[in-house]
């Protein structure tokens, strides 16, 4: 379930890149270079908030970080979709929402890595990291392939709705299934602390 959420984070991250077409740029009154600035703001947001949200993730732990980030990205993408659906899109709101989306998107990788550190011993983490790399590649592919298809068939608004929907559905499973630590580790910690 956390792996599917990674795919959702990638769809949310690259929805703006999928929508970077002449028709979309014209609809928000942006040139190629000003749309590039919009993308740059998002990339810098992602880079800066990796550091900032890393500290928050240590406090929140993996599951809560995934939920906060996933819900925030779903909200940001849903708002962008609504802007395009209602023809009320413009450059500045899109720039702000993309900035927020990318800042919150950092909780995806940070939360996933935090879960890895709790669930796997050091010798096991290499294999898990390989799996994480596959999930990243699949998420990127899904974002471009499915996002591109949805853009062509249904329009730009639905690229963002697809990302938001995938995040919300996978968040439900993360909320219900994922735990920050394995049950055995919880039992051992309780025994060591004298509670069990």
């Amino acid at each position: 379930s956390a792996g599917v959420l990674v795919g959702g984070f990638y769809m949310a991250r690259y929805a703006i890149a999928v929508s970077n077409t002449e028709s979309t740029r014209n609809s928000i009154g942006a040139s190629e270079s000003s749309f590039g600035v919009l993308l740059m703001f998002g990339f810098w947001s992602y880079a800066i908030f990796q550091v900032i949200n890393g500290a928050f993730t240590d406090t929140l732990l993996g599951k809560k970080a995934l939920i906060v980030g996933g819900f925030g990205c779903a909200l940001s993408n849903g708002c962008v979709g609504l802007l395009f659906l209602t023809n009320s899109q413009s450059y500045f709101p899109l720039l702000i929402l993309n900035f927020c989306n990318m800042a919150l998107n950092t909780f995806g990788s940070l939360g996933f890595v935090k879960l890895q550190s709790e669930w796997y011993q050091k010798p096991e983490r290499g294999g898990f990291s390989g799996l994480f790399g596959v999930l990243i590649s699949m998420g990127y592919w899904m974002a471009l392939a499915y996002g591109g298809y949805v853009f062509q068939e249904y329009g730009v608004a639905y690229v963002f709705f697809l990302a938001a929907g995938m995040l919300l559905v996978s968040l439900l499973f993360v909320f219900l299934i994922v735990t920050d630590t394995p049950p055995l580790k919880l039992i051992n910690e309780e025994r060591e602390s004298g509670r069990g």
Side-chain angles (χ1 to χ4, degrees):
S1 56
V4 176
L5 184 60
V6 169
F9 275 114
Y10 267 77
M11 292 196 87
R13 187 182 312 172
Y14 289 104
I16 193 74
V18 169
S19 67
N20 184 9
T21 63
E22 186 176 359
S23 62
T24 303
R25 291 191 299 271
N26 289 342
S27 74
I28 63 170
S31 64
E32 284 187 36
S33 59
S34 60
F35 202 89
V37 170
L38 185 146
L39 293 173
M40 182 194 67
F41 262 76
F43 296 144
W44 275 108
S45 168
Y46 189 81
I48 292 165
F49 279 90
Q50 281 285 355
V51 177
I52 295 168
N53 290 343
F56 288 127
T57 302
D58 279 339
T59 303
L60 291 172
L61 299 180
K63 180 178 180 176
K64 285 182 187 169
L66 290 172
I67 290 171
V68 167
F71 185 76
C73 286
L75 185 62
S76 298
N77 278 268
C79 287
V80 172
L82 283 174
L83 287 176
F84 280 106
L85 192 65
T86 59
N87 290 316
S88 55
Q89 71 273 15
S90 62
Y91 183 79
F92 188 70
L94 191 57
L95 183 132
I96 297 300
L97 286 167
N98 185 50
F99 183 89
C100 294
N101 175 55
M102 295 297 270
L104 290 160
N105 209 293
T106 61
F107 280 116
S109 57
L110 294 167
F112 210 69
V113 169
K114 185 69 176 173
L115 282 177
Q116 171 191 348
S117 69
E118 295 295 328
W119 273 81
Y120 297 96
Q121 300 295 320
K122 284 185 180 180
E124 301 170 319
R125 290 181 190 163
F128 183 82
S129 295
L131 173 62
F132 185 56
V134 170
L135 293 171
I136 288 171
S137 298
M138 291 298 293
Y140 181 71
W141 175 81
M142 284 176 17
L144 299 181
Y146 288 122
Y149 171 78
V150 168
F151 181 85
Q152 294 295 325
E153 294 295 318
Y154 303 102
V156 65
Y158 292 93
V159 174
F160 295 95
F161 289 146
L162 174 65
M166 185 170 177
L167 282 167
L168 291 174
V169 169
S170 54
L171 274 172
L172 178 63
F173 288 103
V174 167
F175 180 77
L176 295 173
I177 298 170
V178 172
T179 59
D180 284 308
T181 54
L184 186 59
K185 186 174 182 180
L186 290 172
I187 292 167
N188 290 338
E189 286 176 355
E190 285 179 357
R191 286 180 181 157
E192 288 171 9
S193 64
R195 289 177 291 173

